[in-house]
Amino acid sequence: MSSRVSRRAFVTGTLGLAFAAALPGAGRAQGAADAPGGLKLGEPFAFRFDDLIARARTAAGDPFREPYRPLPEVTAAIDYAAHGQIKFKPDLALYADGPSAYPATFFHLGEFFQAAVKMHRVVDGQAQEILYSPDYFAMPADSPAHRLPPDAGFAGFRLQESTGEDRWRTHDWLAFLGASYFRAIGELEQYGLSARGVLIDAAVPDRPEEFPLFTEFYIAPAEEGEAVVIHALLDGPSLTGAFRFQATRGKAVVMEVEKHLFLRRDVQRLGIAPVTSMFWYGEHDRPFRVDWRPEVHDSDGLALWTGGGEHLWRPLRNPQATTVSSFLDENPRGFGLAQRDRNPEHFLDGVRYENRPTLWVEPLGDWGRGAVELLEIPTDDEIHDNIGAYWVPEAPARAGDALTYRYRLHWVAHEPFLPGTIARTVATRIGRGGEPGKPRPAGVRKFVVEFEGGPLPYLKTGVIPEAVITASRGEVSHVFVEAVPGLFGRWRAHFDLTAAGSEPVELRLYLSLDGEPQTETWLFQYVPRLES
């Protein structure tokens, strides 16, 4: 993952490829038909997920080949502004006239999406390629897209809201665009962070990150309220893959993912179920006068539910150097990047950061031993996705390996499995240590962590929970716990940390009463010299 990946558009990597194996019926052939609504279709052929898996497995034994990128000098001229002016005509959407309740519309190629991706409809076990035509798109007369060849192809697709709603032509709820990126809206009707098919060698020294590409999609119809089944083929220099997504549009969006990966070569960091987001600054690390808004982020923390049942919260950071933090676990119950702060006064921005979804990964089956990793990359603006979270298996990823994973993605307002029996972290604040009215000692930082909910609103008058604090090094002092004045049910813990040198300090805190945790566990990585 690069700190230069735009979050205003899905950006492909420089790598990726369509498989060399030809599909039955690929291309416009005699006997091809038109779909209802005017889309041009290739010849039908039988489609099964098992066959897609077999194709991916076979392709992994062949050398990687570059994808079809029609006239790169033309697609490079379709910049962000020009791409935004190219609109798919909604009346031509796949399944606009049925049998699916959720029509699909398509993205055009552009500067950031130069590789052609094949699209297919699947009805009654028969697939047909959707053949590109510039006539599907409304675009300005002077758009560079007019210079592309007739077989240019599509960049990706999105699912529109149900045709049972008047707004279906203008509102979508799921989008696949760029490399293996995809997004869905949450309960608060906003897009935000992204998921990816797989992460390969992000932040590995002397080895560039690889961005494999979804090269083919197969979209099946679904009745309203049912899961839309989408199949996808993945290809890249290091691996191939076959994916099945079952996406359900309800109050939130829930997707069940099954993926089969086949490695062409060794991978040093193989990220499973990767989530990508943006954190520029928040309440705990806002640089002085860097921007007029109080906070700017799509997500503000990493939430984890360990295999042992502990709930952890790690506030995100915008570090001065790229940092990878590993949280060892076995059969994790879940993890995700969350936007917990929902107060619009904390953002004051028309893009509505307070409504960005939380994305929770729920593993299905036995994932074994490994680690949830948190990748934090320095950024100086909000346009870069600089945060990643993903699962890394303990076993090395070697050429010839075949790996299968299943999980659910929950695009929601709040993490779905945080129990009501413990309070959650709602604020992290950092300032100068010491005591008011006295000289502030050098090298001392004060941390104030606030918790809310769970049993805290029901504590009897005079009962004060204990702050249980550990630090990997340094000295903790001035520990103090209090109810937050004016905010019923919210408690805060104060403590000072004195730590010399520049090595990171790993902090851990929770509130306890009679030896029982009353809150989730707050984690933080503090770097004294860099953050002094």
Side-chain angles (χ1 to χ4, degrees):
M1 184 177 69
S2 168
S3 64
R4 297 295 168 184
V5 174
S6 168
R7 40 180 293 279
R8 297 299 182 189
F10 294 93
V11 179
T12 66
T14 58
L15 305 172
L17 172 71
F19 286 105
L23 276 175
R28 184 69 170 169
Q30 290 186 359
D34 294 350
L39 294 176
K40 307 297 182 181
L41 303 177
E43 290 185 335
F45 59 93
F47 176 80
R48 298 187 311 155
F49 187 35
D50 287 346
D51 295 335
L52 200 67
I53 297 170
R55 286 185 58 208
R57 181 185 294 107
T58 299
D62 298 329
F64 173 76
R65 296 172 58 187
E66 285 295 332
Y68 174 47
R69 301 177 186 270
L71 298 181
E73 68 278 10
V74 174
T75 51
I78 307 174
D79 59 15
Y80 179 79
H83 193 264
Q85 293 180 308
I86 303 174
K87 307 292 186 183
F88 190 89
K89 299 174 183 177
D91 287 338
L92 298 179
L94 176 66
Y95 305 132
D97 298 316
S100 181
Y102 305 103
T105 58
F106 302 97
F107 290 105
H108 202 278
L109 298 178
E111 178 184 10
F112 300 116
F113 327 108
Q114 298 188 8
V117 181
K118 292 184 177 182
M119 302 292 167
H120 304 79
R121 77 166 188 171
V122 179
V123 178
D124 297 330
Q126 295 287 303
Q128 290 177 279
E129 184 178 356
I130 301 161
L131 305 175
Y132 169 83
S133 170
D135 295 337
Y136 302 156
F137 297 88
M139 64 183 79
D142 60 351
S143 174
H146 289 295
R147 303 201 302 269
L148 288 173
D151 66 343
F154 303 101
F157 75 96
R158 52 188 165 194
L159 293 181
Q160 305 296 123
E161 295 285 15
S162 167
T163 51
E165 302 183 36
D166 292 339
R167 63 175 186 160
W168 76 263
R169 289 176 174 81
T170 55
H171 288 70
D172 55 297
W173 58 277
L174 175 64
F176 285 78
L177 178 63
S180 67
Y181 287 85
F182 56 98
R183 297 193 297 176
I185 64 174
E187 295 172 60
L188 303 178
E189 299 285 322
Q190 273 278 308
Y191 280 114
L193 73 176
S194 305
R196 298 164 65 176
V198 69
L199 177 143
I200 298 178
D201 288 341
V204 173
D206 302 320
R207 190 161 182 167
E209 181 177 2
E210 181 181 319
F211 294 87
L213 216 69
F214 282 135
T215 59
E216 300 177 12
F217 287 102
Y218 298 80
I219 307 166
E223 298 290 337
E224 181 146 8
E226 292 183 349
V228 179
V229 179
I230 301 160
H231 293 89
L233 203 57
L234 183 83
D235 195 20
S238 294
L239 53 70
T240 64
F243 287 67
R244 176 166 57 199
F245 303 91
Q246 298 181 77
T248 303
R249 174 70 168 118
K251 181 180 179 182
V253 174
V254 178
M255 302 174 67
E256 188 163 323
V257 183
E258 178 181 340
K259 63 186 176 188
H260 301 257
L261 303 176
F262 305 96
L263 274 67
R264 281 193 169 106
R265 63 188 188 193
D266 294 354
V267 172
Q268 290 191 36
R269 174 172 283 131
L270 179 63
I272 303 301
V275 181
T276 300
S277 192
M278 180 277 296
F279 180 87
W280 186 13
Y281 61 87
E283 64 203 2
H284 58 279
D285 71 344
R286 181 187 179 192
F288 181 60
R289 290 181 180 170
V290 68
D291 191 83
W292 65 272
R293 293 162 294 181
E295 301 183 40
V296 178
H297 49 76
D298 282 338
S299 306
D300 54 10
L302 170 69
L304 302 102
W305 187 14
T306 70
E310 187 177 15
H311 289 269
L312 308 175
W313 175 255
R314 164 69 148 76
L316 298 179
R317 300 165 53 247
N318 180 5
Q320 294 191 26
T322 296
T323 303
V324 178
S325 302
S326 294
F327 304 89
L328 300 178
D329 204 357
E330 182 172 0
N331 291 322
R333 302 186 189 188
F335 66 91
L337 294 176
Q339 184 78 313
R340 283 190 174 177
D341 194 335
R342 298 296 184 190
N343 188 338
E345 292 185 357
H346 292 178
F347 300 97
L348 303 177
D349 196 314
V351 300
R352 298 167 63 193
Y353 284 118
E354 69 273 9
N355 288 343
R356 301 300 165 96
T358 287
L359 179 49
W360 181 261
V361 179
E362 178 192 357
L364 301 175
D366 186 348
W367 280 25
R369 296 178 60 85
V372 174
E373 289 192 349
L374 174 64
L375 172 61
E376 296 168 302
I377 300 174
T379 186
D380 59 2
D381 207 337
E382 65 196 284
I383 65 171
H384 308 306
D385 277 333
N386 65 316
I387 302 295
Y390 44 86
W391 172 257
V392 177
E394 181 181 65
R398 302 299 189 199
D401 285 352
L403 306 172
T404 299
Y405 284 89
R406 293 177 57 247
Y407 51 94
R408 288 191 188 94
L409 298 176
H410 300 259
W411 307 79
V412 290
H414 306 289
E415 303 101 281
F417 300 109
L418 187 61
T421 54
I422 60 172
R424 63 179 194 149
T425 311
V426 293
T428 300
R429 311 183 196 280
I430 304 175
R432 295 184 301 168
E435 299 179 44
K438 297 182 180 181
R440 300 287 179 157
V444 180
R445 284 288 173 266
K446 182 176 293 295
F447 291 82
V448 178
V449 183
E450 296 183 358
F451 300 94
E452 187 175 68
L456 297 185
Y458 309 103
L459 296 181
K460 295 180 180 179
T461 302
V463 174
I464 299 176
E466 175 192 5
V468 180
I469 305 170
T470 57
S472 61
R473 66 182 191 86
E475 179 184 353
V476 173
S477 62
H478 293 91
V479 178
F480 176 60
V481 178
E482 65 175 344
V484 179
L487 294 176
F488 177 73
R490 180 179 291 199
W491 286 72
R492 65 165 64 116
H494 308 241
F495 69 92
D496 283 5
L497 174 72
T498 304
S502 60
E503 290 300 310
V505 182
E506 300 292 343
L507 297 169
R508 185 181 180 95
L509 161 69
Y510 64 91
L511 298 185
S512 176
L513 191 62
D514 298 329
E516 293 295 326
Q518 305 296 296
T519 70
E520 65 184 357
T521 302
W522 170 89
L523 307 175
F524 198 80
Q525 184 183 80
Y526 174 64
V527 184
R529 183 175 297 172
L530 291 178
E531 300 183 10
S532 61

